Amino acid sequence: MDVTCSVDAADQADFERVVKNCRRAGLRVTSALDTIGVVTGSIDEAKLDALAAVRGVTAVERERVVRLPDPGGGVL
Amino acid sequence: MAATRARRGGPPPEEPEAGTTGRYLVLLDDRDLAAGMRALRRQAGVRSAASAAEAPEGLEASGADAIVFDEIGVAVVATRPDRVAAVRSMAESSPAILAVEPERYVWAIGTDDYAHGYRDGVADLVGRLERGGAAATASTGSASAEAVVTATGTFTWGLTATGVAATTRTGRGIKIAVLDTGIDLRHPDVLRRTIVRSSFIAGETINDGNGHGTHTSGTASGPANPPSGQPRYGVASRASLHIGKVLSNAGSGTDQQILAGINWAIGLGCHIISMSLGAPATVGQTFSQVYEQVGRRALARGTIIVAAAGNESSRPFQIAPVGHPANCPSFMAVAAVDPNLAIASFSCGAVNPNGGEVNIAGPGVAVDSAWPRPTLRRTIAGTSMATPHVAGIAALWAESDPTLRGQALWDKLVATASALPLPASDVGAGLVQAPV
């Protein structure tokens, strides 16, 4: 499943540590967004608890999909 | 590398992995780019690297193995097949390499046409069309926010109702990011603008195959004298426009794409991020912790994120809760009002506590703005249309006072909104107003 994680890191090096530990917990990282402190990726559902337990990871959420209404519908 | 050229303008015929280009994006530690480049040479077999400035025509034309975008600390590497495993493992083995991704996920390369090509897609590469912009002499017009507002012929009703028609501010010097379906770069109202842009949708260029993004961008920052004709519809006509494509031409995007767009915009120092997008929330649903943290960090860095409240209501029968991510407390949730300054029937309201409130309202019914060629203009409705009004007006306030950034800008928008005889649960502080 695809997930997004928020990371609480003291600095850049700390952020990198958290990202690496997310990988170790089983996250296949697709993006490490250091400016906003977010890591995204995919992970086996069975490993979710391990990911949530990584020090510095403050939240893990299942990825959502946003869709616009049909442009023909008038309301956008 | 000639194959790269053939891939422009559409999905490549052959893919190393589904949806990837075969190139890799390497996120370098921006405190020590040199160390990252040494690692690239050592581990990825990069023999020659060009800076973005040195290789304006793109990687394949430069003859180099890698292009480095030093503003954002990203290198795009064309690696030999036998080096792929080494490249992909660099993030583990070198502290100067933060992440390695197939060219797809975070910094998807948008190529809108042959003239602009490869370089346009990556974050800090500014596609400079024609510098300048029309002499922004805003016509004078009386801006009375009457109970019933009509288009004056010179300005849309929304610009009149919000005081944009009367202000001298243009948003000059303020960076505004619109995260949406892209923009029609050849629209006559856009041709004279410098637009910073990046597509985060794999296989899709920045060009707007939907229309939504061209419309919202137009409202936020369309020109003072639109070549497409009167009335004027754009708010911050001289703001520095940043377009992040985080929704596909089909109108969908994932959190990953949206967050990458937010990261990009904040990294470039955008003062305002306009997001006319969202997913419906259910009654009782709490906000996203991830987005909330992002919103707080943005405010702390002087960036305000403005987001559409959502269109799921069917008033007066049913009021749907403010959607994701506008329901995050640190995101400014924007409702839509109509030309009578009544709440739009579709506009979401404050149903859920704890972040689910509406913060402010903007013009969101019968909104005239740009639409991709050949249509040029279209009048539509939605909280998506209200949101860029607020974002553009935020840019006018930010221009008026350099201390108005982040939370201070938020507070000013709320404090200066004109009260409406409607519940705060529907319109928050009221109708957004431009500085005089």
Side-chain angles (χ1 to χ4, degrees), chain B residues 14 64 68 77 88 194-195 198 201 205 233 266 351 408:
Chain B
E14 284 181 29
V68 184
V77 179
R88 299 197 74 158
T194 296
I195 295 177
S198 184
I201 304 296
T205 71
Y233 55 84
I266 295 175
V351 173

Side-chain angles (χ1 to χ4, degrees), chain B residues 219-253:
Chain B
T219 299
S221 189
N225 294 298
S228 65
Q230 298 295 323
R232 173 182 162 186
Y233 55 84
V235 175
S237 59
R238 307 202 83 172
S240 170
L241 187 54
H242 291 57
I243 301 292
K245 181 163 182 162
V246 302
L247 301 175
S248 68
N249 290 331
S252 74

